Amino acid sequence: KEVMLKEIHHRVKNNLQVVSSLLRLQARNLKHPETVAAFEESGSRVQSMALVHEKLYQSSSLSELDFAAYAQSLTDSLLTSFGTDPTLIRLRLDMDKIRLDINQAIPCALILNELVSNALKYAFPGGRSGEIWLCLRGDAEGRISMTVSDNGVGLPPGLNLDSTESLGLQLVHTLVRQLRGH
């Protein structure tokens, strides 16, 4: 049973990586920057899910993910894919060792991917320097708190997070609700 679960995680990861690669290849043939960005963002979301399955495949527990280790890998990957200059933008991690089952890990992975990606895309325009913080905490009741913050330019004035047109922020809002979080 364990070998079969490992194989399933491995195959799901490989299939998700193929989908991500197909999205990126398709983006190369597109002309409109907004369409290219949408394909690349979708590829990044799929890649974050593939990383969950990769970590589960490598884990001794096939049902739980060390989310702190996952978050480290994901944020490293995002910094690289955005071509982030580590002398300008620093990532600060303050994380408890948190284990999540796959039903929690995938939505949390997508939320983390969106929030860190948004910070890298929008918080530090024009070569501005700054920091992004990720804090992951668990409490005695089993509740988990994940906070992503930065010291960048801030959100646009008048942005209503409950009714934004940004697909990424809509996704965050939906996934937080799915997890019964806030």
Side-chain angles (χ1 to χ4, degrees), residues 138-167:
D139 68 16
E141 287 82 42
R143 291 179 300 222
I144 297 165
S145 169
M146 180 171 64
T147 305
V148 177
S149 57
D150 64 67
N151 62 354
V153 297
L155 296 172
L159 177 68
N160 182 350
L161 292 174
D162 293 327
S163 64
T164 179
E165 292 192 18
S166 160
L167 177 61

Side-chain angles (χ1 to χ4, degrees), residues 7-168:
E7 183 62 23
I8 288 169
H9 284 305
H10 184 67
R11 286 179 186 226
V12 169
K13 174 203 62 125
N14 287 345
N15 288 332
L16 288 171
Q17 287 179 325
V18 167
V19 170
S20 178
S21 294
L22 289 171
L23 288 168
R24 288 197 171 103
L25 282 171
Q26 185 66 48
R28 290 182 189 164
N29 297 320
L30 299 172
K31 306 257 186 283
H32 302 299
E34 292 167 353
T35 308
V36 170
F39 271 75
E40 288 175 346
E41 288 170 4
S42 294
S44 178
R45 291 174 186 124
V46 172
Q47 194 62 38
S48 72
M49 290 186 289
L51 185 58
V52 168
H53 287 281
E54 180 180 337
K55 292 295 182 186
L56 284 168
Y57 172 72
Q58 295 169 349
S59 172
S60 58
S61 166
L62 296 174
S63 60
E64 289 185 324
L65 177 71
D66 176 351
F67 197 75
Y70 168 84
Q72 175 75 57
S73 294
L74 178 65
T75 54
D76 287 347
S77 174
L78 288 170
L79 289 169
T80 300
S81 70
F82 277 90
T84 304
D85 181 345
T87 63
L88 290 178
I89 300 175
R90 301 189 68 131
L91 183 65
R92 304 283 187 198
L93 305 176
D94 181 14
M95 299 185 292
D96 291 346
K97 196 159 182 79
I98 303 288
R99 299 198 68 79
L100 298 177
D101 69 41
I102 193 163
N103 295 321
Q104 298 167 313
I106 297 257
C108 286
L110 288 167
I111 291 168
L112 181 60
N113 183 72
E114 291 303 320
L115 296 178
V116 173
S117 293
N118 279 353
L120 291 170
K121 281 192 282 190
Y122 303 117
F124 309 104
R128 180 179 170 147
S129 64
E131 294 183 334
I132 300 170
W133 297 278
L134 169 58
C135 182
L136 188 63
R137 292 277 176 257
D139 68 16
E141 287 82 42
R143 291 179 300 222
I144 297 165
S145 169
M146 180 171 64
T147 305
V148 177
S149 57
D150 64 67
N151 62 354
V153 297
L155 296 172
L159 177 68
N160 182 350
L161 292 174
D162 293 327
S163 64
T164 179
E165 292 192 18
S166 160
L167 177 61

